[in-house]
Amino acid sequence: MISIGILGYGNLARGVESAIAQNRDMELKAVYTRRDPASVSLRTAGVPVYAAQQLDTGTEALDVLVLCGGSATDLPEQTPKYAALYNVVDSFDTHAHIPEHFAAVDAAAKEGGKCALISCGWDPGMFSLQRLYAQAVLPEGADYTFWGRGVSQGHSDAIRRIKGVKDARQYTVPVEDALARVRAGEQPELTTREKHTRECFVVTEEGFDTAEEKARIEKEIVTMPNYFADYDTTVTFISMEEMEEKHKGLPHGGRVFRTGKTGFDKEHKHVIEYSLTLDSNPEFTGSVLAAYARAMQRFSAEGRTGAFTVFDIAPAYLSALSPEEMRAHVL
Amino acid sequence: MISIGILGYGNLARGVESAIAQNRDMELKAVYTRRDPASVSLRTAGVPVYAAQQLDTGTEALDVLVLCGGSATDLPEQTPKYAALYNVVDSFDTHAHIPEHFAAVDAAAKEGGKCALISCGWDPGMFSLQRLYAQAVLPEGADYTFWGRGVSQGHSDAIRRIKGVKDARQYTVPVEDALARVRAGEQPELTTREKHTRECFVVTEEGFDTAEEKARIEKEIVTMPNYFADYDTTVTFISMEEMEEKHKGLPHGGRVFRTGKTGFDKEHKHVIEYSLTLDSNPEFTGSVLAAYARAMQRFSAEGRTGAFTVFDIAPAYLSALSPEEMRAHVL
């Protein structure tokens, strides 16, 4: 059995917890939290909740610690810290900062003799794998990644910070016409605006439901730099009841394409398309983290140390099947 | 530069040749043939064609030899033979015989201190990777593989062996309704007949174009065991001109799905879909073989020996990019 600890107990951590329950070679050993442990009640029976400090001695009996903090402030600090003490997996997803995060985690993991997988999940993660395989197979081609339709938590949070907003949910939606052109192998040059639209559903605070306030809120959303200004954005004001009823879930997904040409005269066109349609973003991400926790346990057992990404892991390390079973039934 | 040799010069070998031309870190060193070398003219300028026997000394200066024979009779003999002498890649695709092929190649490659990748291409190959990753990520789910719309060379050959048939082309076509049900996450149980149909285009020999002969040929096709009897098969008689005009290419493709559920109450559904739409089956397959030839050269340089499958190769081995470039730009 692979003994797994989880740091944190938000949506992603609960996704990892439910994934562990589906993998017969894994057991959840403990959850570690920065909150009062007495305030956290798990779905898995009989598993203890400890204060995060308990990890600091490096003596917890864990094969792998799955880090479920956020990429903005938690993981840049947590992953190097815990990679010195345990084998770890994180879902660091700030693409621009991956090189420095990798370097910090690699140094800590090597120092501690541990294995650390960074930037795991579906993007970065499964989508990255698709980009790499497809680029290797079709060296002359173009890549496209589309996200959605799905809830962007970062964009939803950005709307919630606007004065007078009680709750908000933002859906990222790929533009159908762009998908069709890419799928046809056209290799179009697409601007940000041509690839995705943004749909926002907003509940106002009491006293902010006048036409004037709503117009102000809408304007603040659609002109918000980085988040919305470069997109065609629609804003719909709804009641709290409608929010609860229709927008409670965290669905997401997306598509990775590579279209390329082969032949001495580039006469043959090929389209590779990978798509995910996910009812629950955190549960799917948690399932990916669990599979890669298995890989880190095995890497560590082989005596490897340092930081890794999904590119460094042979697919067989993710599977509970034996090499013979894989060759006979999956190949 | 990775020096590559090709054994054989049929459709697949020409696909490998054109793939090598697209990869700047590879060069085609020589083509080896069982035909008269003087009768073979390559697309790549300045590359020699030798008799296959020239490989037997094991002294050809090749990093990797790509074996482009057929799975029925060539590869079971060729891959073990040459894996004792060179690093090799093959596209052995008789799924039921993979375990024994692996064992024979593994023994030979270990004996010779070489690396051998078997069963590479898109199925087995890229589709196998998708099945393995998706099963690891969604342990509770169902897999589906659909092929087509595309030309099955084995089925086309089977029709050509019927008396009175001059030429034939068989397309494997996935059933749209089955695709839709799988994509909706229904996890249907599908029979062979419910998954694919088979479309046959047949040119008769002179003297066999009577209604009676056509009826006989059609009956022999649709009742042929293993190949057609379990499918809804349509037969269309066409002229040689129409065959040349409309059915000259070798397009193919297909889709791998995994649909699964997560959550403690299995309340969330997920659909993973990977699809290939290929203008040229042999050129795409050749492109996959070329990428894995790079991996075998690197495995060998690291001192590994034995047989491998796509499951054993970390994705990074396929890419010409450095680890830093991959992490910065692909992850």
Side-chain angles (χ1 to χ4, degrees), chain B residues 101-138:
Chain B
H101 187 62
F102 183 89
V105 175
D106 191 48
K110 281 186 175 141
E111 177 80 24
K114 300 295 178 185
C115 290
L117 185 82
I118 66 154
S119 298
C120 187
W122 58 273
D123 194 5
M126 303 310 287
F127 275 15
S128 318
L129 288 173
Q130 298 301 330
R131 287 187 285 261
L132 189 75
Y133 278 119
Q135 286 178 18
V137 168
L138 293 175

Side-chain angles (χ1 to χ4, degrees), chain A residues 22 43 128 130-131 133 137 261-264 268-269 271 273 275 277 279 283 287 311 316 327 330-331, chain B residues 22 43 128 130-131 133 137 261-264 268-269 271 273 275 277 279 283 287 311 316 330-331:
Chain A
Q22 290 191 325
R43 288 293 304 264
S128 318
Q130 298 302 329
R131 287 187 285 260
Y133 278 118
V137 167
K261 288 178 179 171
T262 64
F264 279 93
H268 293 123
K269 202 168 69 181
V271 179
E273 177 175 355
S275 83
T277 309
D279 272 1
E283 285 181 7
S287 298
F311 298 151
R327 287 194 293 268
V330 190
L331 196 63
Chain B
Q22 289 192 326
R43 289 293 303 261
S128 318
Q130 298 301 330
R131 287 187 285 261
Y133 278 119
V137 168
K261 288 179 178 171
T262 63
F264 279 94
H268 294 123
K269 201 167 69 181
V271 179
E273 178 175 355
S275 83
T277 308
D279 272 1
E283 285 180 8
S287 298
F311 299 151
V330 190
L331 196 63

Side-chain angles (χ1 to χ4, degrees), chain A residues 227-247:
Chain A
Y227 285 88
F228 295 101
D230 297 334
Y231 298 85
D232 288 336
T233 302
T234 58
V235 178
T236 306
F237 290 92
I238 61 174
S239 67
M240 202 63 204
E241 294 68 44
E242 189 174 341
M243 179 65 79
E244 291 289 342
E245 195 188 312
K246 296 188 186 161
H247 304 285

Side-chain angles (χ1 to χ4, degrees), chain B residues 309-328:
Chain B
T309 74
V310 293
F311 299 151
D312 304 311
I313 318 291
Y317 284 92
L318 304 184
S319 175
L321 299 177
S322 72
E324 292 73 19
E325 287 171 318
M326 282 182 240
R327 286 194 294 268

Side-chain angles (χ1 to χ4, degrees), chain B residues 192-212:
Chain B
T192 298
R193 192 177 298 274
E194 287 169 329
K195 288 183 71 186
H196 296 94
T197 56
R198 297 198 176 278
E199 295 177 6
C200 310
F201 296 88
V202 178
V203 181
T204 54
E205 302 265 16
E206 221 176 313
F208 289 86
D209 56 353
T210 63
E212 199 176 33

Side-chain angles (χ1 to χ4, degrees), chain A residues 282-296:
Chain A
E283 285 181 7
F284 187 81
T285 304
S287 298
V288 179
L289 294 178
Y292 276 95
R294 180 182 288 122
M296 284 301 95

Side-chain angles (χ1 to χ4, degrees), chain B:
Chain B
M1 291 296 269
I2 304 170
S3 294
I4 299 183
I6 298 175
L7 177 58
Y9 200 62
N11 285 329
L12 177 58
R14 287 192 293 270
V16 175
E17 182 187 18
S18 78
I20 291 169
Q22 289 192 326
N23 283 287
R24 289 181 204 161
D25 60 344
M26 299 182 187
E27 61 175 345
L28 178 60
K29 200 84 178 181
V31 168
Y32 303 86
T33 178
R34 291 175 295 185
R35 289 182 268 169
D36 171 10
S39 74
V40 174
S41 71
L42 308 187
R43 289 293 303 261
T44 314
V47 173
V49 180
Y50 298 126
Q53 299 92 283
Q54 184 147 342
L55 289 164
D56 293 355
T57 56
T59 54
E60 292 294 286
L62 304 173
D63 290 315
V64 186
L65 176 65
V66 181
L67 305 172
C68 293
S71 295
T73 56
D74 297 334
L75 297 176
E77 196 181 295
Q78 288 176 353
T79 316
K81 173 180 172 181
Y82 295 111
L85 304 170
Y86 303 95
N87 300 314
V88 300
V89 174
D90 86 12
S91 64
F92 184 78
D93 67 357
T94 314
H95 288 261
H97 296 300
I98 285 173
E100 65 205 68
H101 187 62
F102 183 89
V105 175
D106 191 48
K110 281 186 175 141
E111 177 80 24
K114 300 295 178 185
C115 290
L117 185 82
I118 66 154
S119 298
C120 187
W122 58 273
D123 194 5
M126 303 310 287
F127 275 15
S128 318
L129 288 173
Q130 298 301 330
R131 287 187 285 261
L132 189 75
Y133 278 119
Q135 286 178 18
V137 168
L138 293 175
E140 297 185 16
D143 289 306
Y144 299 88
T145 302
F146 291 88
W147 297 276
R149 189 177 192 260
V151 173
S152 164
Q153 297 185 261
H155 287 78
S156 301
D157 289 343
I159 300 172
R160 283 191 206 100
R161 288 190 291 266
I162 293 172
K163 190 181 168 196
V165 172
K166 186 172 176 182
D167 199 2
R169 198 71 88 250
Q170 193 269 183
Y171 294 88
T172 306
V173 185
V175 174
E176 280 299 329
D177 178 62
L179 287 178
R181 290 178 62 198
V182 168
R183 196 175 283 133
E186 275 186 39
Q187 301 196 354
E189 297 260 0
L190 297 168
T191 64
T192 298
R193 192 177 298 274
E194 287 169 329
K195 288 183 71 186
H196 296 94
T197 56
R198 297 198 176 278
E199 295 177 6
C200 310
F201 296 88
V202 178
V203 181
T204 54
E205 302 265 16
E206 221 176 313
F208 289 86
D209 56 353
T210 63
E212 199 176 33
E213 286 294 343
K214 285 180 175 172
R216 178 199 43 92
I217 290 169
E218 177 167 350
K219 195 177 167 198
E220 282 195 42
I221 295 172
V222 302
T223 60
M224 195 185 295
N226 302 319
Y227 285 88
F228 295 102
D230 298 334
Y231 298 85
D232 289 336
T233 302
T234 57
V235 178
T236 306
F237 290 93
I238 60 174
S239 66
M240 201 64 203
E241 293 68 43
E242 190 175 341
M243 179 66 78
E244 292 289 342
E245 194 188 314
K246 296 187 185 163
H247 304 284
K248 237 185 111 183
L250 293 170
H252 217 317
R255 291 162 196 279
V256 172
F257 290 91
R258 187 165 178 90
T259 67
K261 288 179 178 171
T262 63
F264 279 94
D265 303 314
K266 321 238 171 289
E267 65 273 37
H268 294 123
K269 201 167 69 181
H270 306 280
V271 179
I272 303 174
E273 178 175 355
Y274 176 80
S275 83
L276 295 176
T277 308
L278 313 175
D279 272 1
S280 165
N281 184 355
E283 285 180 8
F284 187 81
T285 303
S287 298
V288 179
L289 294 178
Y292 276 95
R294 180 183 288 123
M296 284 302 94
Q297 183 266 329
R298 292 175 176 180
F299 263 42
S300 184
E302 290 178 4
R304 306 194 203 205
T305 65
F308 304 93
T309 74
V310 293
F311 299 151
D312 304 311
I313 318 291
Y317 284 92
L318 304 184
S319 175
L321 299 177
S322 72
E324 292 73 19
E325 287 171 318
M326 282 182 240
R327 286 194 294 268
H329 304 299
V330 190
L331 196 63

